[in-house]
Amino acid sequence: QKEVEQNSGPLSVPEGAIASLNCTYSDRGSQSFFWYRQYSGKSPELIMSIYSNGDKEDGRFTAQLNKASQYVSLLIRDSQPSDSATYLCAVYLSGGYNKLIFGAGTRLAVHP
Amino acid sequence: DTAVSQTPKYLVTQMGNDKSIKCEQNLGHDTMYWYKQDSKKFLKIMFSYNNKELIINETVPNRFSPKSPDKAHLNLHINSLELGDSAVYFCASSQDAGGGSGAFFGQGTRLTVV
């Protein structure tokens, strides 16, 4: 079982819609969760972090965490073509591992 | 004033050669990493250093040798390059040991072995 799983996509949404990106993880002891955005040919950019159950909002982005279900998601409201990128979910493995593990990423395409 | 910078950005070399990639961060972070991103875009940790000490060494061939002269610098030397080493190598840094507060990435080095 992969440690961090994401649908590879592409997820195609029309401009102005809500894009919903999902991620599941296997380590129940994980405490820190991150979303990165990576444009083609560029480096991953940290856009959201979440540490406790519930929602965390930052502008058009909302991260949601459910530790009981081992599930973290990212909602992008009012999606823009400039949001088209690959979104990487990352989970911090503690308990002696102490490393950040990435999912394979979901490619998002926002069409006008 | 780039936070995490690595050089070179592109590297094309022949099989069997030895090459180095350099990385520097000016964020004052204690921990630095090397990640490899393959053609399928999967980002996998290779090494991490905390204050110049190696703390993570994933299953990476011995041909890869990281060196950290100080906590702001982490270099990667690769001996006897193979075709399968072609990938994008990212340097990253974080405030804590392991990335529990998130990691910040350099612009990447695209290595092509021919």
Side-chain angles (χ1 to χ4, degrees):
Chain A
Q1 182 188 3
K2 289 183 185 170
E3 291 166 308
V4 181
E5 293 209 50
Q6 298 179 253
N7 285 326
S8 60
L11 173 66
S12 183
V13 301
E15 185 174 355
I18 295 175
S20 178
L21 303 157
N22 305 314
C23 171
T24 57
Y25 60 93
S26 59
D27 178 26
R28 284 200 167 273
S30 297
Q31 297 294 322
S32 306
F33 307 87
F34 308 93
W35 283 99
Y36 285 78
R37 177 177 61 199
Q38 187 175 24
Y39 292 113
S40 181
K42 301 295 185 184
S43 60
E45 175 194 5
L46 180 61
I47 57 172
M48 287 289 283
S49 59
I50 187 165
Y51 303 97
S52 53
N53 280 330
D55 295 0
K56 178 182 177 183
E57 188 175 315
D58 183 1
R60 294 186 297 113
F61 298 102
T62 299
Q64 299 174 316
L65 174 61
N66 184 328
K67 290 185 181 178
S69 301
Q70 295 172 247
Y71 178 91
V72 58
S73 64
L74 179 71
L75 300 178
I76 306 175
R77 288 182 300 283
D78 189 24
S79 295
Q80 301 296 310
S82 59
D83 295 325
S84 298
T86 296
Y87 289 81
L88 303 169
C89 173
V91 176
Y92 175 64
L93 298 184
S94 57
Y97 296 101
N98 297 335
K99 58 184 179 183
L100 201 55
I101 301 297
F102 285 80
T106 298
R107 193 155 59 89
L108 172 67
V110 181
H111 54 87
Chain B
D1 54 341
T2 307
V4 182
S5 61
Q6 52 184 110
T7 55
K9 190 171 179 182
Y10 299 98
L11 194 49
V12 180
T13 188
Q14 290 188 323
M15 273 197 307
N17 283 350
D18 303 340
K19 289 293 177 186
S20 291
I21 308 171
K22 296 187 174 184
C23 180
E24 175 181 4
Q25 56 96 2
N26 62 7
L27 295 167
H29 288 167
D30 287 339
T31 308
M32 295 184 73
Y33 311 84
W34 281 110
Y35 279 85
K36 178 180 180 181
Q37 189 169 46
D38 60 26
S39 56
K40 294 184 180 176
K41 306 300 182 189
F42 188 58
L43 198 59
K44 192 167 166 39
I45 190 167
M46 300 172 69
F47 303 101
S48 75
Y49 272 75
N50 179 255
N51 209 4
K52 301 193 297 177
E53 280 195 37
L54 180 67
I55 55 172
I56 290 177
N57 183 349
E58 293 292 292
T59 310
V60 177
N62 290 338
R63 299 181 295 101
F64 290 80
S65 53
K67 277 194 174 55
S68 181
D70 55 63
K71 73 174 192 176
H73 295 83
L74 179 63
N75 304 321
L76 182 66
H77 188 75
I78 315 169
N79 289 325
S80 304
L81 277 153
E82 300 177 357
L83 292 176
D85 297 332
S86 296
V88 181
Y89 293 84
F90 286 102
C91 176
S93 73
S94 69
Q95 180 71 30
D96 53 73
S101 56
F104 296 86
F105 285 79
Q107 71 269 39
T109 296
R110 182 174 295 275
L111 172 65
T112 304
V113 183
V114 297

